Amino acid sequence: MWPVHRERFLGDSPVVFDERVIVNAPGFAEDSGQVPIELDASALEVSDEPITNIVAWVDLNPIPQLFSYSPMSHGLAKLSLNIRLEQASAVRVAVKQGGTWYVGGTYIEAEGGGCTTPGIATADNDWENTFGELQGRLFANDAEQRLRVRLSHPMDSGLIPSQPAFYVQSFELLDQQGQQVATLDIEASVSANPTLGLHMRPSPGGYVIGAKDNNGNRFAIGLQP
């Protein structure tokens, strides 16, 4: 699938496979609906050239793309989230810097079915009572602020019969002045109740995180140091 996804997600820009783009994940997915992955491409940030976009996908998922992240002024090239796996597959992350895509990845074994079986969120009879709850914490040090955010949402992919697509499409981060400083677009291959770990440059007043889904619902939370 590499030639197909390279053209789809990376276009005609030069591509370099680079060990500085580190993707950490379990070797085997115990739960194919909730597979944690972590990206760390901070070694690329020693260059003065800004990172303009980060794209991730699963080669063999029916919905391959996981996210497209624009770090903009405050985002760092480190993030984590949980994903779905339909079957054992390579997971790839591409980081665009100075017109070149730097690519890393890993391979995860899985029993599969994570994209086409009902998730825990909709199997729980009480999920509607917690729908839209956005929880988060901010952990700060001198070098960065790490944001941990969880949104209660079923993230229905639309691949299950009689279950229409209903998923979160995007997150945005605003500084204390209300200026947009980073954006993250996600797809339905992200797990139910998406949980994000984002590493940001320090903002004295913290951040406001907003999200919206494909039905027009909007959610927001403010996090302070």
Side-chain angles (χ1 to χ4, degrees), residues 40-61:
D40 185 351
S42 55
L44 294 174
E45 293 176 326
V46 298
S47 167
D48 292 333
E49 194 75 45
I51 291 172
T52 55
N53 197 15
I54 302 174
V55 178
W57 68 91
V58 179
D59 276 5
L60 301 181
N61 267 7

Side-chain angles (χ1 to χ4, degrees), residues 45 47-54 69-77 143-145 172-184 199-204 206-208:
E45 293 176 326
S47 167
D48 292 333
E49 194 75 45
I51 291 172
T52 55
N53 197 15
I54 302 174
Y69 182 45
S70 297
M72 299 174 66
S73 60
H74 281 53
L76 299 174
E144 66 181 43
Q145 293 176 343
E172 67 171 354
L173 288 93
L174 310 177
D175 65 12
Q176 65 269 28
Q177 281 81 40
Q179 297 297 311
Q180 188 182 73
V181 295
T183 62
L184 176 69
H199 294 250
M200 308 293 293
R201 292 182 173 87
S203 174
Y207 290 94
V208 173

Side-chain angles (χ1 to χ4, degrees), residues 63 65-66 84 115 155-158 165-168 186-192:
I63 302 174
Q65 188 167 8
L66 297 170
R84 292 167 162 151
C115 299
M155 294 293 290
D156 294 327
S157 64
F166 181 40
Y167 61 95
V168 179
I186 66 173
E187 297 290 341
S189 281
V190 171
S191 300

Side-chain angles (χ1 to χ4, degrees), residues 6 17 23-24 29 51 54 75 77 88 125 127 132 169 187 195 197 205 219:
R6 184 211 187 284
F17 288 93
V23 183
N24 291 316
I51 291 172
I54 302 174
N125 293 330
W127 77 268
Q169 292 179 306
E187 297 290 341
T195 303
F219 320 94

Side-chain angles (χ1 to χ4, degrees), residues 1 4 32 42 73 84 86 116 159 210 223:
M1 297 301 295
V4 175
S32 295
S42 55
S73 60
R84 292 167 162 151
E86 184 59 19
T116 52
L159 299 175
L223 301 178

Side-chain angles (χ1 to χ4, degrees), residues 13-223:
S13 298
V15 173
V16 176
F17 288 93
D18 197 313
E19 62 184 12
R20 293 175 295 176
V21 181
I22 302 168
V23 183
N24 291 316
F28 182 85
E30 298 290 343
D31 179 353
S32 295
Q34 292 280 347
V35 185
I37 66 167
E38 181 180 39
L39 160 70
D40 185 351
S42 55
L44 294 174
E45 293 176 326
V46 298
S47 167
D48 292 333
E49 194 75 45
I51 291 172
T52 55
N53 197 15
I54 302 174
V55 178
W57 68 91
V58 179
D59 276 5
L60 301 181
N61 267 7
I63 302 174
Q65 188 167 8
L66 297 170
F67 65 80
S68 177
Y69 182 45
S70 297
M72 299 174 66
S73 60
H74 281 53
L76 299 174
K78 295 169 66 177
L79 62 91
S80 61
L81 75 170
N82 284 15
I83 67 171
R84 292 167 162 151
L85 282 179
E86 184 59 19
Q87 58 184 294
S89 178
V91 178
R92 304 186 193 271
V93 176
V95 180
K96 193 169 190 181
Q97 184 180 46
T100 298
W101 289 101
Y102 297 91
V103 179
T106 190
Y107 189 87
I108 306 175
E109 293 283 356
E111 292 185 357
C115 299
T116 52
T117 55
I120 295 174
T122 49
D124 185 351
N125 293 330
D126 293 331
W127 77 268
E128 291 182 341
N129 296 327
T130 59
F131 170 76
E133 288 185 358
L134 190 53
Q135 302 171 323
R137 292 188 65 184
L138 187 154
F139 306 88
N141 58 41
D142 293 338
E144 66 181 43
Q145 293 176 343
R146 183 170 66 89
L147 282 61
R148 186 76 172 171
V149 182
R150 181 184 185 274
L151 174 58
S152 295
H153 199 289
M155 294 293 290
D156 294 327
S157 64
L159 299 175
I160 301 171
S162 302
Q163 190 179 85
F166 181 40
Y167 61 95
V168 179
Q169 292 179 306
S170 64
F171 290 85
E172 67 171 354
L173 288 93
L174 310 177
D175 65 12
Q176 65 269 28
Q177 281 81 40
Q179 297 297 311
Q180 188 182 73
V181 295
T183 62
L184 176 69
D185 296 330
I186 66 173
E187 297 290 341
S189 281
V190 171
S191 300
N193 301 324
T195 303
L196 309 177
L198 300 170
H199 294 250
M200 308 293 293
R201 292 182 173 87
S203 174
Y207 290 94
V208 173
I209 302 174
K212 66 177 181 179
D213 66 22
N214 66 325
N215 277 17
N217 297 302
R218 292 180 177 270
F219 320 94
I221 189 173
L223 301 178

